[in-house]
Amino acid sequence: RRLVGIAPDADLATINFADYVPEDWRDFFRDTVTRTAREHGVWHGEMQLCHLRTGERIDVSRTTLLLRDPHTREPWSYATVSRDIRDAKRSQDDLRLRARFTRRVLDGLFAFVGVLDLDGTLLEANRAPLEAAGIDLADVRGKKFWECVWWDHTPAVSERVRDACVRAAAGELVRFDVPIRIAGDGRMMIDIQIAPLRDENGRITHL
């Protein structure tokens, strides 16, 4: 009642569920929520409700159950459990905004920047090294850093980068000059630094 603004003394028999489903969600409610619950006995997912008095939209995680007559087993009614997830949604939106902002900042740098997992798997890279090599992030994301196109032109270079990742994961900052492969199978000398990234407790989480 409180979630959607139904008064404590209101007669629920006079209130239709569609009254507190936003108009643009009603087709989804009818065609997906109630149909799935009717055919399979339960529907669970996320949707929006609206506050009856203020009209505020409310993001909810909702479970709708089909109730059957205990004697005839015929469908009788629906039971629902809704959980307000607005705070969680706002947190997710904030994280997405921060991620997009971080991506814009990184892509605006001429420097070659990458983020690795502790085992040396490439998670993120900014635009500069990708454009230099003529590749997309999808071509290298998920690969071991030393196996990526920049380093695999020479086994000695690949091995040196792998060793630097191992040392950085152990807490050492490693820096050296190294040739990388660029578009057209060219070479460019860069000053590379692989360093441990720590969380607020000092624990190494990434390179």
Side-chain angles (χ1 to χ4, degrees):
R1 289 172 179 260
R2 184 171 57 184
L3 182 65
V4 295
I6 299 175
D9 56 351
D11 181 4
L12 295 180
T14 65
I15 300 173
N16 189 296
F17 181 67
D19 293 340
Y20 49 89
V21 175
E23 186 173 351
D24 55 338
W25 276 90
R26 289 177 186 172
D27 287 346
F28 175 81
F29 171 69
R30 181 187 64 249
D31 299 336
T32 300
V33 177
T34 57
R35 178 179 295 175
T36 301
R38 183 172 63 250
E39 294 178 354
H40 302 285
V42 62
W43 176 86
H44 178 75
E46 294 181 6
M47 62 176 296
Q48 284 190 329
L49 304 179
C50 63
H51 197 281
L52 286 173
R53 293 196 299 273
T54 68
E56 179 186 2
R57 290 189 173 230
I58 306 162
D59 293 300
V60 297
S61 173
R62 187 173 184 87
T63 300
T64 298
L65 302 166
L66 177 67
L67 300 181
R68 294 181 179 274
D69 185 285
H71 302 293
T72 67
R73 304 305 299 163
E74 290 296 315
W76 171 54
S77 184
Y78 294 98
T80 61
V81 178
S82 297
R83 180 170 61 89
D84 188 343
I85 58 172
R86 282 175 291 183
D87 288 345
K89 284 283 190 180
R90 280 191 285 266
S91 296
Q92 292 172 2
D93 290 343
D94 287 345
L95 287 173
R96 282 192 287 267
L97 286 173
R98 290 194 204 104
R100 285 197 291 267
F101 175 75
T102 301
R103 168 57 62 182
R104 289 198 301 272
V105 170
L106 289 176
D107 284 343
L109 299 175
F110 178 72
F112 294 5
V113 181
V115 179
L116 314 180
D117 208 342
L118 288 179
D119 65 358
T121 301
L122 181 66
L123 303 176
E124 294 290 345
N126 71 330
R127 184 179 300 155
L130 300 173
E131 291 183 346
I135 60 174
D136 296 321
L137 180 57
D139 296 324
V140 288
R141 176 184 272 162
K143 296 182 67 173
K144 299 301 183 187
F145 189 47
W146 52 88
E147 295 175 355
C148 293
V149 64
W150 304 288
W151 324 109
D152 66 357
H153 55 87
T154 306
V157 168
S158 180
E159 178 59 27
R160 190 173 187 188
V161 173
R162 188 197 69 80
D163 178 69
C165 290
V166 172
R167 291 161 60 189
E172 182 179 351
L173 187 153
V174 186
R175 183 175 180 179
F176 54 94
D177 293 337
V178 63
I180 67 168
R181 175 188 279 136
I182 58 176
D185 201 30
R187 302 290 184 271
M188 181 171 65
M189 188 66 70
I190 66 167
D191 173 9
I192 185 174
Q193 175 177 293
I194 302 179
L197 297 177
R198 301 177 185 271
D199 64 14
E200 61 275 12
N201 298 314
R203 183 175 61 91
I204 299 174
T205 60
H206 297 84
L207 308 179

